[in-house]
Amino acid sequence: MRGILIVVSGFAGAGKGTIMNKLIEEYPGYALSVSATSRAPREGEKEGVNYFYKTREEFEEMIKNDELLEHAEYVGNYYGTPRAFVEKKLDEGMNVLLEIEIQGAMQIKKAFPDALLVFIMPPSAKILKERLTNRGTETPEVIDKRMKRAREESEGIESYDFIVINDEVDKCTALLHNIILSASYQPSRRREFIEQVRAELRNI
Ligand code: 5GP
């Protein structure tokens, strides 16, 4: 069975990264796509682990060569999903996670109608701002930009298949896994099995 392409979006500071890492650690069958970006690495981030860091020119070259499944500009920087890794892992039957923002998510939905789109929400706007501030990696100006962006992004949540509220990481991770597991039993994702049983029924 081909893997499920899963888009996970959420406001900056909603805790997506933590949940993705926990999901991969605790459950088998998931691969996390590493994006390309033109933004500078934050302290502690590693090339090839958090992102592939590119200049704007290098990024534009990747777009031109059709190396990206989707790409978008977010708060002044390019972000995009390298195509080859995703296709390979899906073919291997892995569920592939894309942690991307909403413009990219809409491109994926269009190009891959059976992708599963999940939006991770904080319990409240106040908690979101606290999490962004406590992270300590962003200037107040960037935090303000990201809160404004969150307001804009909140308008698009209904385009997603599910929301997950991140009040507690373990609970949220288990819920996300269960959503994906449930999706894997949709008849459209089990065509081969259904056909096989139909054939058996004809021959029994
Ligand atoms: P950050 O700079 O905080 O790492 O990421 C900023 C935003 O870009 C987040 O919402 C993140 O999900 C999104 N993002 C990361 N990688 C990609 C990507 O490959 N494509 C798109 N469209 N968005 C991405």
Side-chain angles (χ1 to χ4, degrees):
M1 195 174 92
R2 199 169 147 87
I4 303 177
L5 183 57
I6 303 140
V7 170
V8 179
S9 301
F11 315 131
K16 285 163 298 182
T18 313
I19 290 162
M20 298 291 91
N21 290 337
K22 218 169 175 62
L23 187 67
I24 285 172
E25 235 173 73
E26 296 197 350
Y27 301 92
Y30 290 107
L32 179 62
S33 158
V34 178
S35 297
T37 185
S38 67
R39 88 150 159 72
R42 291 195 192 111
E43 211 179 305
E45 287 187 347
K46 287 201 179 73
E47 164 73 17
V49 176
N50 302 91
Y51 284 102
F52 297 105
Y53 299 94
K54 306 284 176 193
T55 62
R56 287 186 75 85
E57 293 70 34
E58 285 168 344
F59 198 101
E60 282 161 8
E61 196 61 27
M62 292 179 82
I63 299 173
K64 216 169 75 194
N65 296 336
D66 201 27
E67 289 172 47
L68 300 173
L69 272 187
E70 59 72 38
H71 67 274
E73 244 185 299
Y74 178 90
V75 199
N77 290 303
Y78 282 131
Y79 294 84
T81 305
R83 180 187 300 279
F85 175 87
V86 174
E87 299 282 8
K88 178 168 173 279
K89 292 293 168 186
L90 288 176
D91 284 345
E92 288 171 10
M94 302 283 282
N95 294 327
V96 180
L97 298 158
L98 309 184
E99 195 222 300
I100 65 178
E101 53 67 69
I102 198 162
Q103 304 166 69
M106 295 306 107
Q107 292 173 40
I108 294 289
K109 184 172 169 159
K110 213 167 152 199
F112 299 84
D114 62 352
L116 185 65
L117 274 63
V118 181
F119 199 97
I120 297 185
M121 296 187 69
S124 71
K126 183 164 170 281
I127 291 174
L128 180 69
K129 185 149 191 195
E130 280 168 13
R131 285 182 187 165
L132 267 178
T133 309
N134 293 343
R135 195 149 83 174
T137 52
E138 314 289 7
T139 62
E141 196 202 348
V142 172
I143 292 172
D144 278 352
K145 265 195 190 169
R146 293 196 167 202
M147 288 302 290
K148 183 166 169 275
R149 182 66 191 227
R151 214 158 48 228
E152 290 162 14
E153 288 188 336
S154 73
E155 296 300 323
I157 295 175
E158 284 90 345
S159 306
Y160 286 72
D161 300 307
F162 292 93
I163 63 162
V164 169
I165 300 166
N166 184 17
D167 43 5
E168 204 272 306
V169 173
D170 285 336
K171 200 175 95 191
C172 184
T173 308
L175 179 58
L176 180 58
H177 174 66
N178 283 322
I179 287 171
I180 298 164
L181 191 63
S182 305
S184 77
Y185 286 93
Q186 288 170 320
S188 61
R189 302 185 199 276
R190 297 280 175 162
R191 290 217 172 92
E192 244 175 71
F193 172 74
I194 294 167
E195 279 312 320
Q196 180 198 318
V197 175
R198 277 195 185 126
E200 288 170 10
L201 285 169
R202 281 194 296 271
N203 297 326
I204 208 159

